[in-house]
Amino acid sequence: MINRGLNNLWSIPFHYSEIKNAANLNKELIKVIQQLDNAFNKRKSIQIAGLTEGLTTKWHTYNFLDIENKSIATLKKFIKKEVITYLKKLNHKNSSLLYQSWANRLKDGAVLKRHSHAGPYSYVSGVYFVKTKKTATIYHLPLDTRIPGVEDFCESKIEITNRQGGLVIFPSFIEHNSTPTIKDEERITIAFDILFTPPKD
């Protein structure tokens, strides 16, 4: 378990914080996400992190934190404050920050396979946990220690238990994956990337 604030893991800065009394906020966010999942059912899917269907694969079709909704606005305010705190501790400028965000809804053993959010635009990423039970996220040492032909081998990694109301912020190049979602349970999260400039595509 990591403490609130800036943490140095392999000299890589992670930031963890929690929203106080998050239960009511999360209930409202769950409603919004369930509605989105139903409304986006026919939108085009793009395979990502081992998933070929579901809300996560529609990430490119909308920006969650820009949806007009009271609960989303509350979450966005919290995320923005924590991102600014994170960047200030790293002595980074934080003007004109852009957010790309999406919701993930995993059920019955589904997992997010090992991946990163690294790209030409993203430099900081994060995830907020709306609903989760007995799941964790595994973060991998940022060195290519994989053995050819052996999937997800890494010499060093940390496993952080997911907590409802918790927010983790980390550099976009950090590879990570989720543990399986428990049968008859859901793992609902809101992920985001911080961009310097808007994507050209």
Side-chain angles (χ1 to χ4, degrees):
M1 184 63 193
I2 52 181
N3 298 319
R4 178 183 174 85
L6 195 65
N7 292 265
N8 290 320
L9 306 173
W10 324 298
S11 297
I12 303 298
F14 275 63
H15 181 85
Y16 180 81
S17 55
E18 294 183 6
I19 290 184
K20 294 181 179 179
N21 304 316
N24 289 334
L25 173 64
N26 288 342
K27 286 181 181 178
E28 294 304 313
L29 290 171
I30 289 170
K31 292 178 183 178
V32 174
I33 292 168
Q34 289 173 338
Q35 291 171 357
L36 287 179
D37 200 0
N38 293 330
F40 293 174
N41 186 47
K42 294 184 179 180
R43 290 193 177 187
K44 180 181 178 181
S45 292
I46 292 182
Q47 182 173 341
I48 186 169
L51 301 176
T52 58
E53 59 183 8
L55 187 58
T56 301
T57 65
K58 316 296 173 64
W59 65 272
H60 59 290
T61 66
Y62 70 107
N63 197 340
F64 185 85
L65 292 175
D66 281 349
I67 295 174
E68 292 188 9
N69 175 276
K70 185 177 179 180
S71 61
I72 294 175
T74 298
L75 177 63
K76 185 174 183 178
K77 182 178 180 180
F78 171 72
I79 289 176
K80 184 176 181 180
K81 178 177 70 70
E82 295 301 317
V83 167
I84 289 174
T85 297
Y86 174 76
L87 293 177
K88 281 183 177 179
K89 289 183 178 180
L90 296 177
N91 294 318
H92 283 285
K93 294 181 180 179
N94 53 49
S95 59
S96 302
L97 293 179
L98 301 173
Y99 291 73
Q100 172 60 40
S101 55
W102 60 96
N104 304 293
R105 189 183 184 194
L106 305 183
K107 307 175 186 178
D108 296 336
V111 300
L112 291 170
K113 289 188 176 181
R114 181 170 169 168
H115 66 286
S116 80
H117 298 198
Y121 308 106
S122 174
Y123 68 104
V124 168
S125 298
V127 59
Y128 174 76
F129 295 95
V130 181
K131 183 179 181 182
T132 181
K133 187 175 182 180
K134 295 182 179 179
T135 66
T137 303
I138 299 170
Y139 297 90
H140 298 268
L141 182 72
L143 293 173
D144 190 6
T145 57
R146 287 168 288 183
I147 296 176
V150 180
E151 184 178 2
D152 288 353
F153 174 84
C154 197
E155 290 183 345
S156 183
K157 58 190 177 183
I158 60 169
E159 183 172 317
I160 299 175
T161 300
N162 300 328
R163 295 180 59 175
Q164 294 176 171
L167 172 69
V168 180
I169 302 173
F170 52 92
S172 296
F173 63 80
I174 296 294
E175 292 187 340
H176 53 285
N177 62 275
S178 69
T179 58
T181 308
I182 296 175
K183 185 178 180 181
D184 299 325
E185 293 287 345
E186 287 186 312
R187 178 186 184 273
I188 298 178
T189 61
I190 297 163
F192 62 89
D193 292 331
I194 306 299
L195 318 174
F196 269 130
T197 58
K200 295 179 181 179
D201 55 358

